């Protein structure tokens, strides 16, 4: 259940990063302007965060599926209960992937407005965690085979 808490914390972090990013986008950033040389290390950090989020999402997905099929395999469960177990598991999968993907993307969104405006890679910071998340999902699926 530790992974479920990480998902919950990621959801709250995503909301906070989104609010901080919006505030920074209208000129009320919470941080002093970051140095331009920090953009490339921030990209690397965000790719790593995205990949880590995908890894946690894959592990949490395995937990959800284990619980789902444990219940669905119960011979005393009715057809409607099994259907509901599958529906609930799919909802939990969506929440997991959304929360874990959104947190690093919104962190990148916030940091994109905290770097100097003239840097072309600065505004691309929200894309870095998406690359990492995509790579992490791909590696998790290849590992599962």
């Amino acid at each position: 259940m530790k992974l479920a808490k990480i998902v919950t914390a990621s959801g709250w972090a995503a909301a906070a990063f989104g609010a901080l990013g919006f505030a920074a986008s209208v000129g009320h950033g919470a941080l002093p302007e970051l140095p331009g040389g920090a953009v490339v290390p921030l990209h690397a950090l965000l790719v790593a965060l995205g990949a880590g989020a995908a890894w946690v999402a894959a592990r949490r997905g395995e937990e959800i599926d284990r619980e789902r099929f444990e219940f669905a395999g119960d011979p005393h469960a009715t057809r409607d209960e099994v259907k509901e177990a599958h529906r609930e598991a799919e909802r939990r999968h969506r929440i997991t992937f959304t929360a874990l993907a959104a947190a690093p993307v919104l962190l990148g969104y916030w940091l994109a407005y905290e770097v100097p405006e003239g840097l072309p890679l600065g505004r691309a910071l929200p894309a870095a965690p998406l690359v990492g998340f995509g790579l992490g999902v791909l590696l998790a699926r290849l590992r599962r085979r």
Side-chain angles (χ1 to χ4, degrees):
M1 275 309 191
K2 181 179 150 192
L3 294 177
K5 291 182 182 193
I6 293 172
V7 172
T8 301
S10 293
W12 286 107
F17 294 148
L20 288 167
F22 179 74
S25 73
V26 295
H28 300 291
L31 299 174
E33 188 172 78
L34 298 174
V39 172
V40 173
L42 283 174
H43 272 284
L45 174 69
L46 290 170
V47 167
L49 283 174
W55 182 82
V56 171
R59 296 297 76 72
R60 179 66 182 137
E62 290 171 2
E63 281 182 0
I64 292 169
D65 286 340
R66 198 173 315 113
E67 292 170 12
R68 171 203 325 217
F69 292 116
E70 200 172 281
F71 183 80
D74 182 6
H76 300 295
T78 66
R79 183 174 298 180
D80 288 338
E81 289 173 335
V82 171
K83 234 173 143 176
E84 182 60 30
H86 288 303
R87 209 174 295 129
E88 177 64 19
E90 291 306 316
R91 185 186 72 78
R92 290 167 62 196
H93 274 292
R94 281 192 305 275
I95 289 170
T96 296
F97 273 81
T98 301
L100 289 168
V105 168
L106 289 171
L107 174 61
Y109 165 68
W110 171 35
L111 294 175
Y113 286 102
E114 298 287 359
V115 297
E117 284 187 39
L119 299 172
L121 286 177
R123 294 294 185 245
L125 282 171
L130 291 175
V131 170
F133 198 84
L135 289 173
V137 167
L138 177 67
L139 290 174
R141 289 189 184 208
L142 289 174
R143 185 189 76 83
R144 203 178 329 164
R145 286 184 184 173

